[in-house]
Amino acid sequence: MNTLRIEELAEQVDAAAASGQTLTMLTASVADLDLDTAYTVQRYSMKRRFDRNERLVGMKMGLTSFAKMQQMGVHDPIYGHLTDRMILPAGGVLSLTGLVHPRVEPEIAFTMGSNLSGQPTPEEALAAVASVHSAIEVIDSRYTDFKFTLIDVVADNTSACRYVLSEGVPLGDLDLGDLTISMDVGGREQRTGSSSAILDHPAKSLARLATMLDARNQGLEAGQTVLAGAATAAVHVAAGDRVSVQVEGLPDVHFFVSE
Ligand code: OOG
Ligand code: MG
């Protein structure tokens, strides 16, 4: 696919995200969009945000858990970019204005203490981590009815919308392999899972992210945030909700939803 066409697709996904308007799946009309090109669309769409003074602050993994793969009907881990515009302070308020149909999911996040590149083992990946957080990701697919193929969701920056981190704690002796994770959404919906749902261990998700980035000559940098992926299926939010996540052994995190 030529650069001009990729630019056009990037403009479409960027405009949908910026305006909160839905988009028909790109693959419905673009026959020659493959996964590798979808990552290029994602990168070009990020460049548009950077041109509007958004700043890259980290990366996210998606579809790392069976619950998510099953919910979305898509079966491979994917990654997206996080910008400063997506940061929601802990205890803060998410406004639904300008969003399409947001959902929340409970996650574990890392703050990188050093750069991470190449194809690290999970142990090597963890050695590059400065602190660990419980986290809530707000995803908001720009596609109609929150339905997409793997290629479409990658082009749409893996539905990234907002995220909230708890205070960070050093990893120390904490084993992230099997921590209970629970989420409450407005007292209406609860989800409970285990950190083992995240590619068996969140460190494997981090290592996999580095390896996927390496295939495109990218890596992670000290200070960046990494969302390791949801441990349970995602839940719709509504105005008035208080959304909270608890990860065993980590500080809690919550935020509020307004119209
Ligand atoms: C894609 C993003 C999935 C996760 O943690 O699994 C994701 C989506 O479900 O819209 O962020
Ligand atoms: Mg997520």
Side-chain angles (χ1 to χ4, degrees):
M1 193 178 293
N2 68 43
T3 306
L4 207 64
R5 186 73 182 117
I6 297 175
E7 288 277 14
E8 262 172 33
L9 297 176
E11 187 182 347
Q12 280 181 37
V13 292
D14 178 56
S19 66
Q21 267 163 17
T22 52
L23 193 65
T24 306
M25 278 199 275
L26 303 180
T27 53
S29 55
V30 188
D32 55 343
L33 184 58
D34 61 20
L35 189 62
D36 196 50
T37 312
Y39 274 111
T40 309
V41 172
Q42 182 189 120
R43 200 152 47 80
Y44 283 25
S45 77
M46 285 303 120
K47 189 170 174 309
R48 300 181 71 86
R49 291 178 185 234
F50 302 147
D51 289 346
R52 294 194 298 267
N53 295 321
E54 282 183 51
R55 208 163 41 80
L56 180 71
V57 294
M59 304 296 293
K60 59 164 282 190
M61 281 293 266
L63 306 177
T64 50
S65 68
F66 183 67
K68 283 288 305 182
M69 293 181 196
Q70 206 178 27
Q71 181 179 34
M72 304 322 299
V74 174
H75 297 97
D76 289 297
I78 52 180
Y79 69 81
H81 293 73
L82 301 175
T83 74
D84 59 340
R85 173 85 185 82
M86 302 176 188
I87 299 171
L88 185 67
V93 179
L94 171 76
S95 167
L96 296 180
T97 306
L99 306 187
V100 187
H101 37 208
R103 298 177 177 181
V104 287
E105 38 189 38
E107 306 219 4
I108 285 177
F110 298 109
T111 297
M112 304 307 295
S114 46
N115 295 356
L116 183 65
S117 61
Q119 303 178 6
T121 62
E123 292 72 25
E124 289 165 343
L126 276 189
V129 165
S131 57
V132 192
H133 316 250
S134 53
I136 309 173
E137 185 179 23
V138 181
I139 52 172
D140 191 24
S141 175
R142 270 58 68 164
Y143 297 114
T144 311
D145 297 334
F146 227 114
K147 292 215 174 80
F148 44 70
T149 66
L150 187 69
I151 290 170
D152 289 292
V153 71
V154 165
D156 184 28
N157 195 32
T158 67
S159 312
C161 175
R162 298 282 188 278
Y163 68 91
V164 189
L165 301 184
S166 75
E167 251 172 77
V169 295
L171 193 54
D173 291 334
L174 189 66
D175 180 359
L176 300 176
D178 186 19
L179 303 177
T180 300
I181 299 185
S182 49
M183 175 169 75
D184 179 276
V185 183
R188 290 181 288 114
E189 299 251 21
Q190 286 78 32
R191 293 286 182 281
T192 305
S194 160
S195 59
S196 64
I198 304 165
L199 283 187
D200 191 39
H201 195 299
K204 290 192 183 169
S205 180
L206 182 61
R208 179 81 174 258
L209 171 62
T211 302
M212 288 168 85
L213 289 173
D214 184 58
R216 296 180 66 92
N217 296 313
Q218 287 174 259
L220 295 164
E221 286 178 20
Q224 286 187 333
T225 298
V226 172
L227 292 179
T232 73
V235 176
H236 279 287
V237 287
D241 284 343
R242 179 185 191 273
V243 182
S244 62
V245 162
Q246 260 180 309
V247 180
E248 192 186 343
L250 296 178
D252 299 353
V253 62
H254 73 272
F255 70 91
F256 300 92
V257 184
S258 77
E259 279 176 23

